[in-house]
């Protein structure tokens, strides 16, 4: 399994793309080129990226317009964008960039150490978010399994009693609930709906078990 993150490099000038690739190659991640805003948007339709390095000044769709389109899409609205600007660029660019959804600016010519440091932060964050999504998916699977087990018909005479069955289900449900709380503190906003559905399932299982454990009135 390839765990490398994709980094999208968007610039209409070949020399800038070469410079970016030379600086970021030591991060050992997958670097993907786009020569225009339109090409960048097309790339985002099929693949998931950790961060975008986006040139401000490009012919046709410029960096600001590209960033706004990226932020309009549900799939990519949380994707971090670092704008690339000339050293003597218009001071208004910063305001327009942040308004369009940028998280940072880097001026050309690039400082290799600064560029690598900033990009590596987002690569690491992407890896952690991916891990959290996988944990949430595993928890959902466990919740379904527990629900199915709780719905099994009563055991036959000579096997475990209903009380023993509920006890085993409780022992399995409790760590899943605890792990779900940990994941919930760090789950990305884009996956909050999936997490809420998981919590809904776990809550239903807990209520069902609690009802079964109450003595009859």
């Amino acid at each position: 399994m390839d765990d490398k993150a994709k980094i999208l490099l968007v610039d209409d000038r070949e020399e800038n793309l070469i410079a970016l690739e030379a600086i970021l190659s030591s991060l050992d991640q997958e670097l993907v080129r786009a020569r225009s805003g339109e090409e960048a948007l097309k790339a985002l339709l099929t693949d998931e990226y950790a961060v975008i390095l986006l040139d401000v000044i490009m012919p046709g769709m410029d960096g600001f317009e590209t960033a706004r389109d990226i932020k309009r899409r549900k799939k990519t609205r949380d994707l971090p964008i670092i704008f690339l600007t000339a050293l003597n660029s218009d001071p208004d660019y910063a305001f327009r960039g942040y308004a369009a959804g940028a998280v940072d600016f880097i001026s050309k010519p690039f400082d290799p150490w600064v560029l690598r440091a900033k990009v590596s932060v987002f690569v690491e964050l992407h890896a952690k978010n991916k891990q959290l999504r996988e944990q949430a998916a595993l928890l959902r699977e466990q919740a379904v399994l527990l629900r199915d087990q709780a719905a099994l018909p009563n055991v036959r005479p000579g096997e475990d009693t209903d009380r023993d069955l509920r006890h085993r289900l409780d022992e399995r449900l409790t760590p899943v609930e605890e792990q779900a709380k940990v994941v919930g503190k760090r789950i990305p906003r884009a996956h909050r709906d999936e997490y809420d559905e998981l919590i809904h399932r776990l809550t239903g299982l807990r209520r069902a078990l609690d009802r079964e454990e109450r003595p009859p009135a």
Side-chain angles (χ1 to χ4, degrees):
M1 180 178 178
D2 189 359
D3 291 329
K4 291 185 178 181
K6 287 184 170 65
I7 302 170
L8 186 58
L9 313 177
V10 188
D11 201 303
D12 63 300
R13 299 177 67 89
E14 177 69 16
E15 60 269 28
N16 289 338
L17 291 172
I18 292 174
L20 288 170
E21 290 171 336
I23 294 170
L24 298 175
S25 61
S26 61
L27 296 181
D28 194 28
Q29 305 299 325
E30 184 174 347
L31 307 177
V32 180
R33 286 183 169 202
R35 297 291 298 266
S36 66
E38 293 86 353
E39 191 175 330
L41 293 174
K42 184 178 180 179
L44 291 170
L45 290 174
T46 54
D47 292 311
E48 179 180 333
Y49 292 85
V51 61
I52 301 175
L53 301 182
L54 179 59
D55 187 28
V56 171
I57 304 301
M58 295 185 294
M61 179 182 287
D62 65 18
F64 301 123
E65 186 178 354
T66 303
R68 284 192 293 270
D69 280 2
I70 291 171
K71 294 301 178 179
R72 289 191 190 108
R73 298 177 178 179
K74 182 178 181 180
K75 179 182 177 182
T76 56
R77 64 187 179 192
D78 294 320
L79 183 58
I81 299 172
I82 299 177
F83 270 130
L84 309 175
T85 65
L87 185 61
N88 59 347
S89 60
D90 189 332
D92 186 52
Y93 282 179
F95 173 79
R96 293 178 61 192
Y98 287 122
V103 296
D104 207 344
F105 276 80
I106 295 181
S107 298
K108 306 173 188 177
F110 312 118
D111 181 316
W113 188 91
V114 171
L115 180 59
R116 278 193 298 268
K118 291 187 175 185
V119 171
S120 64
V121 168
F122 292 108
V123 169
E124 182 179 357
L125 180 62
H126 175 76
K128 290 181 177 178
N129 285 340
K130 182 179 179 182
Q131 183 181 23
L132 287 172
R133 293 198 303 270
E134 292 172 350
Q135 288 176 340
L138 179 60
L139 288 173
R140 287 197 299 273
E141 292 175 4
Q142 291 175 333
V144 171
L145 178 61
L146 288 169
R147 181 196 63 195
D148 293 343
Q149 289 180 339
L152 288 175
N154 291 336
V155 293
R156 296 189 299 272
E159 297 184 351
D160 293 335
T161 64
D162 288 346
R163 183 184 298 275
D164 292 334
L165 176 59
R166 290 196 300 270
H167 178 69
R168 293 203 310 273
L169 289 173
D170 180 75
E171 285 184 333
R172 298 192 63 180
L173 179 58
T174 298
V176 174
E177 291 172 322
E178 293 174 351
Q179 183 64 25
K181 290 179 182 178
V182 174
V183 172
K185 295 177 181 179
R186 298 174 293 175
I187 198 75
R189 185 180 63 180
H191 301 279
R192 177 57 59 176
D193 290 345
E194 297 176 24
Y195 175 77
D196 289 343
E197 175 61 23
L198 167 65
I199 293 300
H200 176 72
R201 292 181 182 180
L202 292 177
T203 300
L205 283 169
R206 174 55 64 190
R207 288 175 177 170
L209 282 177
D210 289 344
R211 283 196 301 269
E212 291 292 331
E213 290 176 358
R214 292 196 194 103

